[in-house]
Amino acid sequence: MDALLPVDSANPNPESMQTRLNVQATLSELVAYDNGSGRFEMKIDSIQYKSDKRTVEDYLYIEKYLLTQHFQYKMASDGAVSEPAVEDVALQPGTEELNLLKLFMKVQPILPGGPVKVGETWKRPVEIPEKGKTTVVYKSFTLEEVFLHDGVQMAKIGMNVQYKEVADSTSNVRMESDDFIVGTGSILFDITHGIVSSVNLELSGHLNVNDIVAGYEVPNMRVIQRIKLRSEI
């Protein structure tokens, strides 16, 4: 994730911050229901975190905290995702870069409820509950191509995402966006084995940040977020 402060007369050379987060996790199906839906659990196995604006002590604390962010969600037979919830986390720093549930729900692909042809599009909204607010992410998908790779049938799916960041009125650091944060990406789906092979998504938008405790506000900060998901069997 890259964050760039706005350019103005008092700040002709704006500061920027780069953050990199690598997460390895295990996804398991906990319950399979008779109607074709299921409940899934994501358990965090390892974390690597770096940021050019944080100390080594910050790295260690953040990595330790993120290791506790196991979460669950429900997926219906038509691919709709609902009821995401983090398990047993007492402390929520409340920053965009540290919310693994929100990161995953943004990039999580939603497959169609039935057969589709190349060129067809399906849409799904996803609600992400957070402390003091709910973020609704609007997703659309288009089947772009079906092809064979090393004897495996693959599907390439285009992905578009948009949502508005809503301020949490209970947080000391409040982030919100006046306009939609938008993203585009692509999905490779392994049809033969029925798994998502990889997802790439790039999000871009402007945030207004208000630190209540420190008493300062940063309007119109540009944020670019690149999220990659890769599956391993």
Side-chain angles (χ1 to χ4, degrees):
M1 184 177 76
D2 298 329
L4 298 90
L5 296 180
V7 177
D8 55 34
S9 58
N11 190 28
N13 298 308
E15 289 189 43
S16 64
M17 180 182 76
Q18 292 185 337
T19 299
R20 183 175 181 87
L21 176 63
N22 292 324
V23 180
Q24 185 171 6
T26 300
L27 178 63
S28 304
E29 184 177 29
L30 297 180
V31 182
Y33 300 104
D34 293 339
N35 61 2
S37 64
R39 176 163 291 279
F40 297 84
E41 180 182 53
M42 180 76 80
K43 279 194 170 292
I44 310 303
D45 299 321
S46 65
I47 295 284
Q48 289 182 323
Y49 174 88
K50 291 291 174 65
S51 176
D52 58 1
K53 299 297 182 182
R54 297 185 188 272
T55 66
V56 174
E57 288 78 11
D58 289 335
Y59 294 168
L60 296 176
Y61 166 75
I62 289 170
E63 288 178 351
K64 183 178 180 180
Y65 159 75
L66 291 176
L67 282 170
T68 69
Q69 282 201 16
H70 309 310
F71 56 87
Q72 296 184 15
Y73 64 93
K74 186 177 180 181
M75 180 177 289
S77 57
D78 65 353
V81 176
S82 62
E83 302 178 21
V86 179
E87 304 173 17
D88 303 325
V89 175
L91 178 62
Q92 289 278 4
T95 59
E96 181 79 3
E97 62 184 302
L98 300 181
N99 190 332
L100 296 185
L101 171 61
K102 190 170 184 177
L103 288 173
F104 177 76
M105 296 303 290
K106 285 180 188 176
V107 75
Q108 165 76 346
I110 301 175
L111 301 178
V116 294
K117 298 178 181 179
V118 173
E120 289 188 347
T121 296
W122 61 99
K123 299 180 180 181
R124 291 285 195 280
V126 177
E127 291 189 356
I128 307 175
E130 302 173 77
K131 182 182 178 183
K133 64 175 181 176
T134 297
T135 301
V136 181
V137 181
Y138 300 93
K139 300 183 179 184
S140 66
F141 305 88
T142 302
L143 179 59
E144 297 180 345
E145 183 183 1
V146 176
F147 60 95
L148 283 175
H149 177 69
D150 292 337
V152 175
Q153 191 174 29
M154 303 290 293
K156 182 181 179 183
I157 302 169
M159 178 180 184
N160 289 286
V161 171
Q162 65 175 16
Y163 68 95
K164 279 191 175 183
E165 191 67 45
V166 180
D168 176 4
S169 59
T170 66
S171 175
N172 291 329
V173 179
R174 301 176 185 178
M175 298 186 297
E176 61 181 340
S177 59
D178 296 328
D179 298 314
F180 279 105
I181 295 171
V182 297
T184 59
S186 63
I187 302 162
L188 286 179
F189 182 71
D190 181 339
I191 301 173
T192 301
H193 299 98
I195 61 171
V196 175
S197 180
S198 66
V199 184
N200 289 278
L201 177 66
E202 180 169 319
L203 296 157
S204 179
H206 291 81
L207 292 175
N208 303 316
V209 182
N210 186 6
D211 191 322
I212 305 299
V213 175
Y216 73 85
E217 187 173 359
V218 180
N220 202 35
M221 178 177 70
R222 188 184 181 201
V223 176
I224 302 171
Q225 195 172 36
R226 300 175 184 89
I227 308 175
K228 296 183 179 181
L229 179 68
R230 188 181 70 233
S231 299
E232 297 180 357
I233 302 176

